[in-house]
Amino acid sequence: MEIISKKIYDKPERPIKIMQFGEGNFLRAFVDWIIQRLNDDGAINAGVAVVQPMPFGRVKELKEQDGLYTLRLEGIDNGEEVKKSRIIDVIGDLINPFEEYERYLAYGESEDLQVIISNTTEAGIAVDPTDTNLTECPKSFPGKLLALLKRRYDHFNGALDKGLAIVPCELIDNNGDELYRCLTELARINKMDEKFIEWLQKANHFTSTLVDRIVPGYPRNEIEEIKKETGYIDNNIVKGEIFHLWVLKKEPFVQKVLPADKTGLNVIFADSIKPYKQRKVKILNGSHTAMVPVAYLCGIDTVGEAVNDKTIGKFVHDFVFEEVNPTIDLPQAEMVAFANSVIERYKNPFIRHELMSIALNSTTKFRTRLLPTLEDYIRITGKLPQRLLFAFAALIEFHKGVRGNEKIALNDAPELLAHWAKLWAEFDGDYTALAKKALGWTEAWEVDMNTLHPDLTATVAKYLQAIDTEGMKSAVECFAGGCSGCCK
């Protein structure tokens, strides 16, 4: 059986009109699939140049397959179980800018290039003030994009009609505006001409977005079955659910060059993405982030196992309906319907969504996905969201780095992991002191959470002590069961 490549698949040649920062599972299962649909339906004729944003990544593996890979979509569609595979053939080039920086920059001179799309995680859209030598590959995503846009500005002599549609998919508020802010700040750090900074704003078309599709990634447990079905080997196959939603803030140029709402897909160009984003981030992503440390420390490895577990399932359900929904200003019937759909998606029998894949960058994810709910719940009710605080206590315990006799493969920025390790290294048995330090970590949370409510620190300390001394399974059973023992 051969590996999928041009040898066994007639790959079409398309002009490279889209540059994509990120080659991870989500972009390949979501954006590239949408681009595939747009190409197939004749709405566009565009190839994608994929740029690897970090020194490590999948560009090498994708090159070995000529950019071809299989998307496996599984789920419930109109009440029926669906499994379908589709070869995605839109990737026309793959670039590791750390090794091919000049070839990367040359795309800035392309007459065909129209669109920049990115998903570099929540931590990706940030200014790195050390990115001051653009003659070599910058470390940050904004640094790389700034270098490309500067090349484009210089090559086309600042022509206003040579700007690009810039469509970030990172899960932060107003991601388009924030990316523009980072580019402008970094340009000034690099002492770039104000005319170039003006061109950044006037010629380019930034829009903010919201994306939604659960993507478990490589279907390890089904790979032999899929090989028999497809007749080839695919080391980059990616699995996603049927459900998808892409909301983009209306921007005429973006709508012209990326008419993703014209082919029957669940894509919306909206006047404001705020209500859609708040609903999705707080309910779907927030419940994911709250679930991970609690379920994982109970010995559970996947989302499906977690929500089908009686105790964890109740914990997640009650967190969403009792602590998240009250903080979102949308009609109650709409909130209930969306929340129910999220729980149903979690139970998709075809999806094996590993908790540890969600645990990537868990510190930043708490700040972006759960902290707003904590603040809003306290402001609206004057009370504490107990399940959310239990989840924060579990996050502290998770960063102790062990589950039973196993070492947890923590995956976060080195400086964040170093801080968690320092907190535990200094722990002397005083859970209140540990909780206070964790809650007061303003560099991570941008607020001292100890100050949000007079009982917050003691509540987290109580839950942390129960988890650390009784074990997560015992603590969460006690919590969910409403007993008055170890954690109540």
Side-chain angles (χ1 to χ4, degrees), residues 34 37-44 259-267:
I34 289 175
R37 288 283 299 267
L38 291 172
N39 276 311
D40 291 348
D41 291 350
I44 62 173
D261 58 336
K262 302 300 184 186
T263 59
L265 296 169
N266 193 16
V267 178

Side-chain angles (χ1 to χ4, degrees), residues 56-235:
F56 53 88
R58 299 199 67 84
V59 157
K60 182 175 181 291
E61 289 80 1
L62 284 162
K63 278 184 177 180
E64 291 169 357
Q65 297 185 179
D66 296 321
L68 297 164
Y69 66 93
T70 308
L71 174 61
R72 177 81 163 184
L73 296 180
E74 298 180 348
I76 309 298
D77 193 16
N78 294 322
E80 301 211 357
E81 291 187 357
V82 176
K83 285 186 178 184
K84 52 187 177 183
S85 298
R86 171 71 167 89
I87 293 175
I88 304 298
D89 60 25
V90 299
I91 297 178
D93 196 8
L94 292 139
I95 307 162
N96 181 347
F98 296 92
E99 298 176 356
E100 308 167 283
Y101 186 49
E102 178 54 37
R103 192 166 79 81
Y104 159 70
L105 288 178
Y107 269 101
E109 304 176 7
S110 169
E111 292 277 0
D112 291 327
L113 192 64
Q114 296 176 327
V115 181
I116 300 289
I117 295 174
S118 67
N119 189 357
T120 55
T121 81
E122 288 96 318
I125 298 183
V127 173
D128 184 341
T130 67
D131 270 342
T132 55
N133 180 11
L134 301 188
T135 63
E136 57 186 40
C137 185
K139 297 184 288 297
S140 70
F141 159 54
K144 295 180 187 66
L145 180 55
L146 182 67
L148 181 90
L149 292 172
K150 183 62 166 61
R151 171 67 72 92
R152 191 169 187 84
Y153 171 82
D154 291 340
H155 181 75
F156 291 109
N157 298 311
L160 292 176
D161 65 346
K162 295 302 180 183
L164 303 173
I166 300 178
V167 187
C169 298
E170 289 83 356
L171 194 64
I172 60 173
D173 288 339
N174 305 309
N175 47 21
D177 296 336
E178 184 63 15
L179 179 55
Y180 169 71
R181 186 196 67 77
C182 289
L183 290 169
T184 303
E185 182 178 340
L186 191 56
R188 292 203 164 105
I189 289 172
N190 279 274
K191 297 181 171 53
M192 290 181 170
D193 194 312
E194 284 294 324
K195 289 183 179 179
F196 166 68
I197 295 174
E198 183 179 354
W199 179 85
L200 271 180
Q201 179 182 22
K202 290 186 175 179
N204 295 282
H205 309 268
F206 294 81
T207 193
S208 294
T209 70
L210 169 71
V211 294
D212 190 359
R213 168 173 270 172
I214 296 173
V215 178
Y218 187 78
R220 188 170 290 102
N221 295 338
E222 303 167 70
I223 196 62
E224 294 305 319
E225 171 194 338
I226 295 172
K227 281 182 189 176
K228 290 177 183 177
E229 179 185 313
T230 60
Y232 55 77
I233 297 168
D234 185 349
N235 296 317

Side-chain angles (χ1 to χ4, degrees), residues 363-395:
T363 307
T364 301
K365 284 176 177 175
F366 179 88
R367 174 172 55 80
T368 58
R369 300 176 175 189
L370 290 176
L371 183 54
T373 297
L374 173 62
E375 293 175 320
D376 290 344
Y377 189 90
I378 293 172
R379 175 178 52 81
I380 292 166
T381 71
K383 301 176 182 178
L384 290 173
Q386 299 294 330
R387 296 164 192 83
L388 194 157
L389 295 182
F390 186 93
F392 183 76
L395 184 69

Side-chain angles (χ1 to χ4, degrees), residues 27-38:
L27 282 175
R28 291 189 294 116
F30 184 80
V31 170
D32 292 332
W33 170 74
I34 289 175
I35 294 168
Q36 183 77 49
R37 288 283 299 267
L38 291 172

